[in-house]
Amino acid sequence: MPEASAAVFDLAVVGSGGGAFAAAIRATNLGKRVVMVERATIGGTCVNTGCVPSKALLAAADARQTATDAARFPGISASVRPVDMHALITGKRELVGALRAEKYVDLIGEYGWELRQGNAAFTGTPEDPSLEITAPDGSTTTVRATHYIIATGSAPWAPPIDGLQETDYLTSTTAMELDEVPESLLVLGAGYVALEQAQLFSRLGSKVTILARTRLASREEPEASRTLAGVFADEGIRVIRRATLSSIGTDPVSGQVVADTLSSGAREEIRAAKLLVATGRQPVTDGLNLTAVGVKTGDRGEIMVNDMLTSTNPRIWAAGDVTGHPEFVYVAAYHGSLMVENAFNDANRSVDYRHLPRVTFTTPAVAAVGMTDEQAREAGIACDCRVLPLDYVPRALVNRDTRGFIKIVADSRTGRILGITAVARDAGDLAAAGVYILEAGMTVNQVANMWSPYLTMAEGIKIACQSFSTDVSRLSCCAS
Ligand SMILES: Cc1cc2nc3c(=O)[nH]c(=O)nc-3n(C[C@H](O)[C@H](O)[C@H](O)COP(=O)(O)OP(=O)(O)OC[C@H]3O[C@@H](n4cnc5c(N)ncnc54)[C@H](O)[C@@H]3O)c2cc1C
C-alpha cells in the first residue's frame, strides 16, 4: 500500500523524453500539478542518443562528402583529410549538452513542474495505483496522481543470432560515441537508423557493408529502395539483400567480426572491424510492475493503448515509442499533448496516422507521406501513379545531382492525392509540404496549378502533378 504521506499530483509522468515533455508542458499550462520521474539522462532518446546526435553527425559527414564530390561542378575542386573522430564526437557532445539544457533541463524550472531522479515502478491496485520511485542512493518515495503517463521509450533490439550475444557489437548509441572511425563496418538492418548510420560511417571513411533481410527501406516504395541502393553503390557501400545471418563471432587473432551469411542461396563469410546492430527497437516496460495496476502489454512488451492513448487502466496512459506506434519524436510529442487533452479536457481526440510524414535522413533523403502505391491498391482504391525523375526538377539540375524522384499516388476517379514519396536532397521538406496537401484533400490538378517557387526542390511536387496531364520534358523554365 502507498504511504499515507505520498505526494499527490494531477499528473505523474514516467520518463523525460519527447512524449513526457509534451505532456508535462501541456498539463502545467492547464494549471495542473505535475511530477516527472527520470532514471537516466534528462531528455530521453531524441536529444541525447537519437535525432540530434545522428543528424549533427550526418550533417558533418555531408560536409565532407560535398568536398569529395565538389568536382561535379566545373572549375571546383576540394580535397579531404582523414576525420578527427575524437574532435567530431566532442563537438557533437557539446551540441547535445547545449540543446539538452536549453530545450529540456531549463524548461522544467520555467514551467515549474517537479522532477524526481530515480527508477519508477507502479505499486498499489488497478483502482488505486501509485508510483514508487527508487532514487540513485536507494531511498524510495511514493507519489500518487489522478492520471499517470508512461513515456519510457524504447531500446535497441538485437535478433537471436548464434554468437551475437558473445560478440562485442555496436548499437546506434555506442557507434556515435566511437573515438576512431572503424576501418570497416558491417551493418545489420535496413530501416532508417541502419541506413543513416551506414551512410554516416561510409562518408567518414569506413568501408561499409549492409546486410538487409529484404530490401532497403522496405516499408517505402520499391523505387526508393532501388534509388538508395544505387546511391550507396556509387558511394562504395555494399548492400547484400535478402540476406540471413547464420552465425557471428570474433576472430581471436585479428579481432575482426566474422559473419556467416546466406544470400540468394550463396554462403559468404564477411569480415569487418566493427559490427553495428540496427535491427529495430523494443518498448521499455520491464520492471514497471504493470500487472499490479492492470496495464496490459503486447507481444513486444508495448503498452496496449486505445486510439485515445488510454491503457487497459483508464487512469494510466502511454505515449511515444513505448506504445509500439511509429518511432518518431513528433509522434511521441503529439501523444503527450493529446493524452493531456483527453485526460483533463475530455477532448476525446484520437491519433490518426493517415498523413504521418516519414523521413530517412540519408543524402538523398527518403521521405514519404500517405499511402504507397501498394497500400492504395490493397485498400481497393483504383490509383493512378506518376514517378518524376529528378532530371525534370530544375533545382536538381543546377545542383548537378539528379539522383532521385518524386512519386505521386492519386485516386484515379477523383484525382485526389493519396501519397507522395520523394528521394531527393532535403526530401523531408517535401514530405512536410505533402502533409498540407494531403490534409487539404488536394487533387493533382489543383497542385499542378498552384504557385511554387522556382528552383526549390518542392517545386518538383508541382511538376510531378503536371506530369499527369502534360509532357513535362517540354516545359520551359518556370512554366506553369
Ligand atoms: C539513432 C536514432 C535516430 C533518430 N532520429 C530521429 C529523427 O531524426 N526524427 C525523429 O522524429 N525521430 C528520430 N528517432 C526516434 C526518436 O528519438 C524517438 O521516437 C523518441 O525520442 C521517443 O521518445 P519517447 O518520449 O517515446 O521516449 P524516450 O525519449 O526514449 O524517453 C524515455 C525515457 O524514459 C526513461 N525511463 C524508462 N524507464 C523508466 C523508469 N522505469 N523510470 C524512470 N524513467 C524511465 C528513460 O531513461 C528515457 O529517458 C531516432 C532514434 C534513434 C535511435
Side-chain angles (χ1 to χ4, degrees), residues 442-466:
M442 295 180 77
T443 64
V444 160
N445 231 343
Q446 284 173 316
V447 176
N449 288 296
M450 274 183 60
W451 291 112
S452 191
Y454 183 51
L455 287 175
T456 59
M457 203 60 94
E459 187 193 18
I461 298 180
K462 172 176 170 153
I463 301 171
C465 288
Q466 287 176 317

Side-chain angles (χ1 to χ4, degrees), residues 151-205:
T152 47
S154 63
W157 174 82
I161 295 169
D162 194 17
L164 185 58
Q165 285 316 319
E166 296 75 46
T167 306
D168 184 20
Y169 65 83
L170 299 166
T171 63
S172 58
T173 305
T174 51
M176 292 190 288
E177 287 294 323
L178 286 174
D179 241 6
E180 279 178 13
V181 179
E183 179 259 319
S184 52
L185 181 70
L186 176 61
V187 178
L188 286 195
Y192 82 85
V193 171
L195 299 177
E196 290 176 6
Q197 297 276 315
Q199 194 179 46
L200 166 66
F201 281 96
S202 167
R203 289 180 162 197
L204 295 179

Side-chain angles (χ1 to χ4, degrees), residues 15 18-19 38-39 44-46 51 55 119-120 151-153 192 320-321 329-330:
E38 172 56 63
R39 66 180 177 191
T45 303
C46 184
C51 333
K55 270 77 241 183
N119 184 70
T152 47
Y192 82 85
D321 288 7
V329 72
Y330 43 91

Side-chain angles (χ1 to χ4, degrees), residues 189-223:
Y192 82 85
V193 171
L195 299 177
E196 290 176 6
Q197 297 276 315
Q199 194 179 46
L200 166 66
F201 281 96
S202 167
R203 289 180 162 197
L204 295 179
S206 286
K207 181 103 195 98
V208 174
T209 304
I210 299 177
L211 280 188
R213 210 157 34 96
T214 52
R215 56 182 170 91
L216 303 184
S218 60
R219 292 188 190 158
E220 301 303 346
E221 297 281 12
E223 293 91 344

Side-chain angles (χ1 to χ4, degrees), residues 63-88:
R64 188 170 195 262
Q65 182 68 18
T66 302
T68 311
D69 199 25
R72 72 178 192 273
F73 296 100
I76 305 289
S77 64
S79 57
V80 294
R81 304 232 302 265
V83 174
D84 179 347
M85 193 67 169
H86 179 73
L88 183 62

